[in-house]
Amino acid sequence: MTSLVVHPQAKPLVGRVPVPADRAITQRALVLAALTDGFSTLRGHTFTEETECTRTCLSKLGVVIEASKEEKSLRVRGVGIYGLVPPKGPLDCGRSMTTLALLAGVLSAQDFESELTVSGELAREPLQHLILPLRERGARVSARGRGPLRGDATAPLLVGALPEDAYLTGIEW
């Protein structure tokens, strides 16, 4: 098993990281760029229905994202980890379970409540695999929907505000 050691940086991280154009990587890059302080430019990413859902949800959380289809790039003005703003309603993750999962993790550390919805077949997908580890970390997460089997928690997903002076803990899952 490879070991990775991360050291805190005294100055901002600057550079380029080439990655393959992939839907899931684009979604993760959008979320990471949104949580930084300052601007990030994403080039060579994939424009899909799922990446647009991620982009739209982040915009509703106060992140400014400008798209250039000609240059196939996105310019993201990150707001920092605690710079997100409460959405004015449910965040529609469309048919993107990746958007739902990424945002559930990010929003569970915020001091405001959020509701994440999905559409189509995903509305019947059990979410215990997502809810249980977040709860173990101290997040206030619950599902409003119930699946066909007893105990199946399905969307919409409610992410409660993290109490003042509370932090999510690290876990091994």
Side-chain angles (χ1 to χ4, degrees):
M1 178 181 216
T2 303
S3 171
L4 176 66
V5 178
V6 178
H7 300 280
Q9 292 294 312
K11 56 186 178 179
L13 182 62
V14 178
R16 296 173 186 252
V17 179
V19 295
D22 172 86
R23 171 196 52 81
I25 291 173
T26 297
Q27 290 173 284
R28 285 163 174 78
L30 279 167
V31 171
L32 290 173
L35 299 178
T36 64
D37 289 312
F39 289 94
S40 298
T41 302
L42 309 178
R43 290 189 178 90
H45 68 284
T46 304
F47 282 100
T48 66
E49 179 182 342
E50 291 91 347
T51 59
E52 284 303 301
C53 284
T54 304
R55 187 175 140 203
T56 300
C57 288
L58 289 170
S59 294
K60 290 180 179 182
L61 293 166
V63 179
V64 176
I65 304 171
E66 300 167 352
S68 170
K69 288 197 178 186
E70 300 80 41
E71 296 177 19
K72 204 170 183 185
S73 69
L74 293 171
R75 183 165 164 85
V76 182
R77 182 180 52 83
V79 296
I81 293 175
Y82 300 110
L84 298 174
V85 298
K88 289 184 169 57
L91 295 170
D92 181 7
C93 300
R95 295 185 300 201
S96 176
M97 188 58 78
T98 302
T99 300
L100 177 83
L102 292 172
L103 291 181
V106 168
L107 293 170
S108 66
Q110 302 303 310
D111 63 356
F112 55 83
E113 294 182 354
S114 305
E115 181 177 352
L116 299 166
T117 63
V118 292
S119 57
E121 293 292 317
L122 287 183
R124 293 189 288 276
E125 284 288 317
L127 298 176
Q128 287 90 333
H129 68 284
L130 180 63
I131 294 170
L132 294 176
L134 288 171
R135 281 185 182 164
E136 189 165 320
R137 295 190 65 209
R140 299 173 62 203
V141 181
S142 62
R144 185 173 286 170
R146 293 288 169 246
L149 300 176
R150 181 176 155 88
D152 274 356
T154 62
L157 192 65
L158 305 174
V159 183
L162 196 62
E164 192 174 324
D165 296 327
Y167 298 93
L168 298 180
T169 61
I171 61 169
E172 188 171 321
W173 191 264

